[in-house]
Amino acid sequence: MLRRPEYRRVLVFCALIGIPVSLVAFWFLVLLHELENLIWADWPHDLGWTDPPWWWPVPLALVSGAVVALVVLRFPGRGGHVPAAGLHSGEASKATVPGVVLAALASLPLGAVLGPEAPLIALGGGLALACRDLVRAPATEASTALLGAAGAAAAIAAIFGSPLVAAVMLMEVAGVGGPQLFAVMLPALLSSGIGAIVFTGFGHWTGLKTGSLSIGLPAPPLLDTGDVVWSALMALIIGAAVHWIMVGGRIAARFVIAHPLRNTVVCALGAAGCAALYAVITGRSPAEVSLSGQAALAQLAGHPHAWSVGSLLAVLAFKGVAYALCLGSLRGGPTFPSLFLGGAVGVLLSPLPGLGVVAAMAAGMAAGMAAACAAALRLPVSTVVLVVLVVGNSETVPVIVLAAVVSFVTTELLPQGPGIPAFRPRVGRARRPASPRP
């Protein structure tokens, strides 16, 4: 394959499109980050609150649900795929990019319990095809698949901070094998590598950062029998729990499809209500239930003793329900909320015999994140690579692999729940019959 001139030209083009795609992805993430800080930190501080008040998520959810519903009804591509369907690349299309961007901006900074990875995949793939059309390169089915995967990998490398995670994730998301796997993954790996170089250098040059994915867990002691046994049991329980959250998301999606405008707003307000109740009950910030959980996960890892058992139970319950509602109604990715839920379970179970504070910060949290992420994404290899990157050490790799495998097998054996029906096409107004009068 490498001896074919057309494939070598595709490799070079993938390297080149990695540059503009990664730059657009970088500024998109910066925009999301700045909007989130503005809405959830700056505005409450300007109004005299240390944390957002308990009612803060409600008006944001009203706006978010209404805007996302209008994008779904009026824009090509319906703002991207429904997050409850899991993480997948779909068919890259430049026509869907405006709707994907608008739906993400209306969801993620306004409190959706979702992450930015799914919009980045659609954004990167659409921009790669736009670059192809701009230079008038041949538009074939093979080139569309290759460039779509390469553009998605370059974009998603920005949020995960690693071309390896992006390439492996796109490999599993695409679901190809054999020679096709090599044909898709080599351009994707090259493009994401170029994108990561540009992203790192550009961020350093401008002084802007979208946040580090590493949460700084300490290196654990040597693993013992308790760590392995508890990790497997945790993975079984967490995998089943996250699986039923995803089933709840599909039920919410069916509810939304029945009446998109009204029911999207209802689900968004339901998620906001979970955040408000959590703030009223615990006295903590509603942002810990709203948003993706990426920032809260770092706080949880750095200061686990700041969370009481009651607050951990409350955040797991309320964020789990809000997660399911957002999976079926708003737009974003399922990865980061699942990582937070798994990490919170690891901290909650740290007093178990055979574990401890250090083990919970390492083996327990790592196993919990791996189990939850594998259940949400159904991408076990990508989960292992991602969680190893987040944990930041290699000592916990065995329990990460074990937890991911146990959770994945558990979710595959459980009933899968209802499917997500397609949106009904809009029915236009019937044309009036011609008048019989001359």
Side-chain angles (χ1 to χ4, degrees):
M1 188 174 297
L2 286 173
R3 298 180 187 276
R4 296 167 57 183
E6 58 270 22
Y7 188 74
R8 294 199 297 269
R9 287 195 293 268
V10 170
L11 282 178
V12 173
F13 189 67
C14 287
L16 294 176
I17 64 174
I19 297 174
V21 169
S22 61
L23 293 180
V24 172
F26 169 78
W27 286 111
F28 180 67
L29 288 173
V30 168
L31 178 60
L32 291 176
H33 182 69
E34 294 297 324
L35 286 174
E36 182 178 318
N37 281 340
L38 177 67
I39 295 171
W40 292 90
D42 294 344
W43 284 356
H45 289 172
D46 293 341
L47 294 173
W49 292 296
T50 303
D51 292 319
W54 65 268
W55 52 264
W56 192 260
V58 176
L60 298 178
L62 183 62
V63 175
S64 177
V67 174
V68 171
L70 291 175
V71 170
V72 169
L73 292 172
R74 301 297 180 186
F75 279 73
R78 300 190 180 279
H81 73 273
V82 179
L87 193 64
H88 60 81
S89 58
E91 295 183 0
S93 171
K94 62 181 183 179
T96 64
V97 169
V100 167
V101 171
L102 286 176
L105 290 175
S107 297
L108 304 179
L110 297 183
V113 189
L114 298 168
E117 66 278 6
L120 281 175
I121 289 176
L123 177 63
L127 289 177
L129 297 184
C131 291
R132 179 196 65 184
D133 295 343
L134 186 64
V135 299
R136 298 181 179 179
T140 64
E141 183 177 352
S143 70
T144 298
L146 285 173
L147 294 178
I156 205 171
I159 183 60
F160 292 125
S162 170
L164 180 61
V165 176
V168 172
M169 183 169 288
L170 263 295
M171 175 185 69
E172 289 194 291
V173 167
V176 296
Q180 290 182 336
L181 174 63
F182 175 78
V184 172
M185 286 308 304
L186 192 58
L189 187 61
L190 175 62
S191 181
S192 61
I194 296 294
I197 293 172
V198 173
F199 171 73
T200 303
F202 202 71
H204 176 73
W205 174 60
T206 61
L208 295 173
K209 293 186 180 297
T210 58
S212 174
L213 192 61
S214 176
I215 59 177
L217 291 179
L222 295 176
L223 298 176
D224 56 21
T225 304
D227 296 328
V228 176
V229 172
W230 282 121
S231 296
L233 293 176
M234 285 170 53
L236 184 66
I237 297 170
I238 293 171
V242 173
H243 168 73
W244 289 114
I245 289 175
M246 300 299 292
V247 171
R250 290 195 284 273
I251 294 173
R254 296 177 68 90
F255 172 70
V256 166
I257 289 173
H259 196 296
L261 182 57
R262 180 194 65 201
N263 293 350
T264 300
V265 174
V266 168
C267 286
L269 288 174
C274 291
L277 285 174
Y278 169 80
V280 170
I281 292 172
T282 64
R284 300 177 67 93
S285 172
E288 293 173 353
V289 167
S290 297
L291 304 174
S292 68
Q294 182 179 352
L297 181 61
Q299 296 170 5
L300 180 65
H303 307 282
H305 297 296
W307 298 68
S308 66
V309 173
S311 62
L312 286 172
L313 290 172
V315 78
L316 285 170
F318 286 113
K319 196 174 186 74
V321 175
Y323 184 28
L325 292 172
C326 292
L327 282 169
S329 57
L330 302 179
R331 293 297 182 264
T335 304
F336 290 99
S338 67
L339 288 174
F340 176 83
L341 292 174
V345 172
V347 173
L348 180 65
L349 299 182
S350 62
L352 289 172
L355 289 177
V357 175
V358 176
M361 290 289 292
M365 278 194 73
M369 289 187 290
C373 190
L377 300 185
R378 306 292 180 92
L379 307 174
V381 179
S382 301
T383 294
V384 170
V385 177
L386 175 59
V387 175
V388 170
L389 172 69
V390 172
V391 171
N393 61 66
S394 59
E395 290 82 0
T396 53
V397 171
V399 295
I400 291 173
V401 174
L402 176 64
V405 172
V406 170
S407 175
F408 178 75
V409 172
T410 301
T411 55
E412 289 294 321
L413 294 177
L414 289 172
Q416 298 305 301
I420 302 176
F423 281 90
R424 293 189 295 269
R426 295 196 308 270
V427 179
R429 180 179 297 178
R431 183 174 297 180
R432 298 176 68 178
S435 173
R437 296 179 181 179

